[in-house]
Amino acid sequence: MCGFIGFVAPHGHSPQITPAQLTTLRDTMTYRGPDDAGLLIDRSIAFAHRRLAIRDLDSPPQPWRSPDGRYVLIYNGELYNDHELRAKINRAGLTQKTSCDTELLLQAWILWQEHALPLLRGMFAFAIYDFQTQKLFAARDRFGIKPLYFAHHAQQLIVSSTLKAITSSPGFSTQPNLHAISHYLTTLRATLGDQTLFERVFQLRPGHLLTWQNGHTHIERYHDFDLQQSSPTPASLDDLADDLAGHLHDSITQHMVSDVPVGAFLSGGVDSSLMAALLQQSHPQTLVTRSVGCLDPGQSPAPESDLAYAQIVADSLHCQHANIAVSADQYWNSMHWMIDQLHTPLTTPSDVLIYHLARDMKQSVGVALGGEGADELLCGYDVQHWSGHDYDRLRQLQAGHWPFPTHAEDEFLLDFQQHYGRSQPRTLIDFYFQQNSLIPLAVQRMFWKPERLLEVQSAGIARDFYHALLSPHQDAPSSVQIKHLLLHTNLEALLARLDNSTMLASLEARVPYADHQLATATARYPLNQLIQLKPHANSPWKTAATLFQQGDILSKRPLRALAARSLPETFAQRPKASFPTNIQSWLTENWQDQCCDLIRSSVLLQEICTPNHLDQILQLQGATAIYRWPLLNLALWDRAVFS
């Protein structure tokens, strides 16, 4: 795993950066690659690279040049099908001097150019410059597991693994992106399509290829997931569990390839527990596992907590396990440092916990497997995946086509208002924001300055993005559409969180569930086999949130059926949970004064928020105190980057 930055100038011009400046930018990401470093300035390019050695530990550093000098590559990632790719390249007449996938990737590009991308299985972000055509090509893996940012500056293109390397570039200036900030306050996602929280700095979206030549940029999608195939696989639940077992076993085996020790994160949930069990079956050695939670000094995990469940799984699998405790003070200090290093606000309260988890894991292994992706691919978010039916039923009621008993109409409307508010969404996009907003849009409208709010609303960038995401699926059932949104936005955010947090500890994280071959296979599973209501569920017309509270939703059914073969039934059927945090209480107790001072003194928040309404937000207690979380992050980001 690695980090890189590259500057490309038009043909006949030199990049506007010195070797010393390029080295400084490269070394802002030393944590991404503490084992080696390389630098190349030649004609129109200036490339730099930091290496974290995971495979072929003795291979030479990047940037990597083709033997004839025509191509130069900077690359971050792992290709898991390198043996298959090597055989194909050898049949085409090329041989290798090393066993590293870096050389293979460049050879594949030399042979097949952009047609090489469908042949790659793994996680990757890379840039290749062709001196003959004066073109730069940059690509990102299908899920966006590895980051790739870019910006245009002084007729140059800058590409990088980190935001900080770009925003710290000589002469580069930027401002906060209000559209992305509004989206962050709503969804806690630090990107909006290709936009970042910085004006003039963009991300290359997952599954996309960027081509740049003499100041002209072209971006195209090279891969999309078919989430509603016309002929889903008809099969029983047991058959689907068998099929999933084969694909998941194959993915885990591929992800185990490494020249350094491999461990696994355990959350106590079914996804990571099943992954660890399958790992032990295929690689019967002592597995290093870790879990993490917020615990103040002297505090022990509750018997029903994720930490307790993770320990039980680890004991049953005879893992070398430890639970990592993070206190309020440790969390506060790490949060400041992480935002300063990443030049971006954190996206979830779990970011800091994952960093501490990775930092401890790094002492024993060089690679850790995580369970991200299972929920998005297999309908594991009970409420979010079932809630498409809430929207359908509201529309049916409005159209006079209510399919349930008449007495249930008022019951449904009251339930709908309790969970979504009194306003009734006109479109699926309205419903999506109504359901997935951390700070409700009505509350945001209160504390934004009117002129700033008008600027954001009139542009409608967030709405346009989600409309474009939905438009190819307008004829699909709402449940499938919501699943599509979750896969392409929620998973992308979770993978960015995982990469940021683990790489800050110089640990490579891999995600066997986020494998494109596995995703292609599971896309054929019938939706009603992935998620359904319990037979004879009480009041099936209730909203997804109420049905979940009643225990009436059966989610991720093939995976749970598979897990029941390797884990106790209580683990296979555990409800969805995440790493436990105490953020809500810490915001109003341990960090009360510091938090309020930072938010009130932020120049950025003073610029976009009405002071009186901001004070009202800071006085909230109980569940709504969590509104402080994104505001605190923006205040720390403002101080780290703009002040």
Side-chain angles (χ1 to χ4, degrees), residues 88-235:
K88 191 176 184 70
I89 289 171
N90 290 344
R91 288 195 296 270
L94 296 183
T95 59
Q96 296 79 41
K97 295 181 179 179
T98 72
S99 60
C100 71
D101 59 352
T102 305
E103 184 179 19
L104 287 179
L105 175 58
L106 185 54
Q107 288 183 332
W109 189 267
I110 291 170
L111 287 170
W112 302 299
Q113 300 288 297
E114 65 271 18
H115 301 294
L117 293 170
L119 305 177
L120 307 180
R121 183 179 186 180
M123 52 182 180
F124 55 83
F126 66 82
I128 294 174
Y129 188 74
D130 182 346
F131 281 105
Q132 182 171 305
T133 62
Q134 297 93 45
K135 282 186 180 180
L136 178 106
F137 303 91
R140 193 173 177 208
D141 65 66
R142 299 166 181 84
F143 284 100
I145 303 170
K146 304 313 298 178
L148 183 53
Y149 301 102
F150 67 95
H152 301 94
H153 173 57
Q155 297 185 311
Q156 304 172 109
L157 177 73
I158 310 174
V159 293
S160 181
S161 301
T162 70
L163 289 165
K164 188 172 185 177
I166 293 179
T167 58
S168 302
S169 298
F172 190 88
S173 63
T174 187
Q175 297 294 323
N177 180 344
L178 295 185
H179 309 289
I181 287 173
S182 175
H183 184 250
Y184 173 77
L185 288 169
T186 304
T187 64
L188 277 186
R189 292 171 186 149
T191 56
L192 172 58
D194 63 353
Q195 295 196 35
T196 72
L197 293 170
F198 293 97
E199 294 281 2
R200 301 179 54 230
V201 183
F202 303 91
Q203 70 158 348
L204 185 62
R205 293 184 62 195
H208 281 70
L209 169 68
L210 178 151
T211 305
W212 187 90
Q213 185 178 37
N214 288 328
H216 300 287
T217 302
H218 175 71
I219 297 175
E220 61 183 315
R221 179 187 289 277
Y222 70 84
H223 182 88
D224 198 3
F225 291 99
D226 184 0
L227 300 178
Q228 48 174 354
Q229 296 186 13
S230 56
S231 55
T233 303

Side-chain angles (χ1 to χ4, degrees), residues 576-590:
K576 170 66 183 167
S578 59
F579 288 130
T581 72
N582 296 343
I583 296 303
Q584 195 159 296
S585 61
W586 287 349
L587 284 167
T588 56
E589 296 171 11
N590 304 63

Side-chain angles (χ1 to χ4, degrees), residues 404-425:
F404 298 103
T406 304
H407 72 80
E409 293 183 10
D410 290 340
E411 189 177 336
F412 168 75
L413 278 177
L414 286 172
D415 195 27
F416 190 95
Q417 291 171 5
Q418 179 183 349
H419 292 288
Y420 299 111
R422 290 191 171 274
S423 62
Q424 296 189 357

Side-chain angles (χ1 to χ4, degrees), residues 388-410:
H389 296 293
D390 298 347
Y391 178 75
D392 291 343
R393 284 162 189 163
L394 178 67
R395 304 297 288 178
Q396 289 168 338
L397 185 60
Q398 293 170 335
H401 303 306
W402 182 246
F404 298 103
T406 304
H407 72 80
E409 293 183 10
D410 290 340

